[in-house]
Amino acid sequence: MRLPIKSRVLEYAISKNSTFSSEEVAKKLQQEYKGERTTSAKNIEKIISTYCGVGIMKAAAIQMAADGKLNITYEVTDFGKSCKKMIPASDCEEN
């Protein structure tokens, strides 16, 4: 059984243990959850923003691309890492 998208985003971030972008997470989840519309980059960005709002994740770097788009990379906080115990074990392998 697969995790809900929100839980899988957090699991991905914790197991990545380095910075990541919402596009990177969306690409990975689109492979795992084929056909699921909630894995769009826009939706993943909303999920990550929510996690940032409650202190589970934070922006690690913000850069302006040549096309005027913001490129934001995120990382999990220590508080976020402590939430790992609330995620049930899954069969998903990382990276």
Side-chain angles (χ1 to χ4, degrees), residues 1-5 7-12 15 28-29 32-33 84-94:
M1 186 170 137
R2 293 186 299 189
L3 290 173
I5 299 293
S7 298
R8 182 64 182 111
V9 169
L10 180 58
E11 181 186 53
Y12 176 87
S15 61
K28 176 71 173 171
L29 268 57
E32 294 176 13
Y33 295 79
K84 184 175 184 171
K85 62 184 173 257
M86 292 186 273
I87 301 173
S90 73
D91 296 331
C92 296
E93 287 192 24
E94 211 39 54

Side-chain angles (χ1 to χ4, degrees), residues 7-47:
S7 298
R8 182 64 182 111
V9 169
L10 180 58
E11 181 186 53
Y12 176 87
I14 291 171
S15 61
K16 174 85 175 178
N17 202 27
S18 66
T19 60
F20 56 91
S21 68
S22 57
E23 292 83 9
E24 174 187 335
V25 177
K27 186 175 180 180
K28 176 71 173 171
L29 268 57
Q30 286 168 356
Q31 294 171 354
E32 294 176 13
Y33 295 79
K34 294 192 186 306
E36 183 68 44
R37 293 189 328 215
T38 58
T39 60
S40 69
K42 183 177 179 179
N43 191 58
I44 298 300
E45 180 67 36
K46 286 180 186 178
I47 292 169

